[in-house]
Amino acid sequence: MPAMTMIQALNSALDIKLATDPDTLVFGEDVGYFGGVFRVTEGLQKKHGLTRCFDSPISEGGIVATAIGMGAYGLRPIVEIQFADYILPAYDQLVSEAARLRYRSNGEFWCPITVRSPYGGGIFGGQTHSQSPEAIFAHVTGLKTVIPSNPYDAKGLLLASIEEDDPVIFLEPKRLYNGPFDGHHDKPLTTWAEHPMGEVPAGHYTVPLGSASIVREGREVTVLAYGTMVHVANAAIAESGIDAELIDLRSIVPLDIDTIVKSVTKTGRCIIVHEASRFGGFGGELSALIQERCFYHLRAPIERVAGWDTPYPHAFEWDYFPGPARVTKALKRCVEAVA
């Protein structure tokens, strides 16, 4: 299998759908001639034409509203919001229209749209290019929220998302576009060519939404993560020497609660890691679900490691970013807690 970056894997997924499904099309800010700010759509307009991959005005609400109309008429648009920080002008369209269309029309219409957007920090993007807004979409009934952590999953999950008949928010951890990142910003970068999940089939395949992946098996504590935090948590586990089980959620809606419950029932302990701010973050929902289902198996309080409840600070990137040191401390607190 060829080695791909996450950018190349996403590009491959889009290329396959444009080539095989005439109802698909790609549009957004700078995605056509320019190939997207991160080059995820590079070459698609030249290969598939101006009507299949084209630029839009700088209007996130207009981009999503247009996609909803296209979806209701039978197309499968894949739109890009250049940074997840700028998706909020489209939030009303996503919540009031896309998420509700199937229910409101009694199944007569639906909205098979995929909204791609780079999210997260670790690139010194500051407060307006580093946010993690996944929780506000997970809260909306009718939307699915997907977050890959590697090129193999990125391609398979994107293909599965495009083939969904309901709207999908597809958040891409931009710190992982060109290589895995374990949170050690002061160490040399590694590439996806050096990572087993960088091997990506050239053809069509899907990774089912709602299927978590057990990255590492263990017996002392369960660690739940998604996106960049999968790699950070894996590094922290290795450095701590604790026999932790690491689960990559891959999608938060739908959520693979069965895999989570099975693991926490086995270990009796759980740590949740996400990059978004702690208060109101998706970790709170995960904690509640685990408490409801695994209460009599828990041997220690559930721990959460997350971003601080502040705007993302450009000057203090690595103080805000939940790195391996913070995860390691949580691991030790959790396993040392008296049952």
Side-chain angles (χ1 to χ4, degrees), residues 182 223-225 228-238 246 273 324 327 331:
D182 63 7
V223 180
L224 306 179
T228 305
M229 292 298 107
V230 172
H231 303 276
V232 172
N234 206 19
I237 292 167
L246 174 58
V273 188
V327 179
L331 283 165

Side-chain angles (χ1 to χ4, degrees), residues 21-107:
D21 185 350
D23 290 331
T24 58
L25 66 158
V26 174
F27 64 97
E29 297 165 18
D30 295 325
V31 304
Y33 177 82
F34 190 60
V37 67
F38 291 102
R39 301 299 189 269
V40 172
T41 56
E42 188 171 26
L44 297 181
Q45 184 180 88
K46 183 177 181 180
K47 183 175 181 179
H48 298 284
L50 291 168
T51 61
R52 304 292 304 287
C53 180
F54 53 89
D55 296 324
S56 72
I58 303 175
S59 173
E60 289 79 10
I63 292 168
V64 172
T66 303
I68 293 168
M70 289 177 170
Y73 273 88
L75 299 177
R76 289 186 179 271
I78 306 124
V79 300
E80 178 181 307
I81 303 298
Q82 200 167 82
F83 287 90
D85 312 65
Y86 301 133
I87 203 169
L88 293 181
Y91 194 65
D92 177 51
Q93 289 293 324
L94 289 166
V95 174
S96 303
E97 307 298 336
R100 309 279 192 256
L101 187 58
R102 182 190 289 274
Y103 178 84
R104 193 167 66 189
S105 68
N106 196 29

Side-chain angles (χ1 to χ4, degrees), residues 8 46 54 56 82 110 114 124 135 158 181 208 319 328 336:
Q8 292 167 330
K46 183 177 181 180
F54 53 89
S56 72
Q82 200 167 82
W110 52 94
T114 303
F124 285 98
L158 182 54
F181 179 62
D319 295 301
T328 297
E336 291 170 3

Side-chain angles (χ1 to χ4, degrees), residues 105-167:
S105 68
N106 196 29
E108 186 175 351
F109 296 99
W110 52 94
C111 192
I113 70 171
T114 303
V115 181
R116 297 181 38 253
S117 192
Y119 94 109
I123 64 163
F124 285 98
Q127 62 178 345
T128 57
H129 295 82
S130 303
Q131 296 175 76
S132 301
E134 65 272 14
I136 66 173
F137 298 109
H139 183 67
V140 179
T141 302
L143 295 179
K144 297 183 178 181
T145 306
V146 179
I147 307 172
S149 68
N150 59 73
Y152 180 89
D153 284 352
K155 181 176 178 177
L157 289 168
L158 182 54
L159 285 166
S161 298
I162 296 167
E163 293 166 8
E164 275 285 321
D165 286 335
D166 291 307

Side-chain angles (χ1 to χ4, degrees), residues 11-26:
N11 181 277
S12 177
L14 294 171
D15 185 29
I16 287 170
K17 293 308 294 184
L18 289 171
T20 59
D21 185 350
D23 290 331
T24 58
L25 66 158
V26 174

Side-chain angles (χ1 to χ4, degrees), residues 275-288:
E275 196 175 336
S277 298
R278 176 185 169 96
F279 189 89
F282 191 68
E285 178 65 22
L286 288 171
S287 181

Side-chain angles (χ1 to χ4, degrees), residues 119 121-123 173-181 185 189 228 318:
Y119 94 109
I123 64 163
K174 53 184 173 288
R175 189 61 179 82
L176 302 182
Y177 269 150
N178 290 301
F181 179 62
H185 60 93
L189 299 177
T228 305
W318 305 118

Side-chain angles (χ1 to χ4, degrees), residues 278-298:
R278 176 185 169 96
F279 189 89
F282 191 68
E285 178 65 22
L286 288 171
S287 181
L289 289 168
I290 295 163
Q291 190 80 356
E292 290 166 0
R293 289 163 171 79
C294 305
F295 179 78
Y296 293 105
H297 296 278
L298 290 173

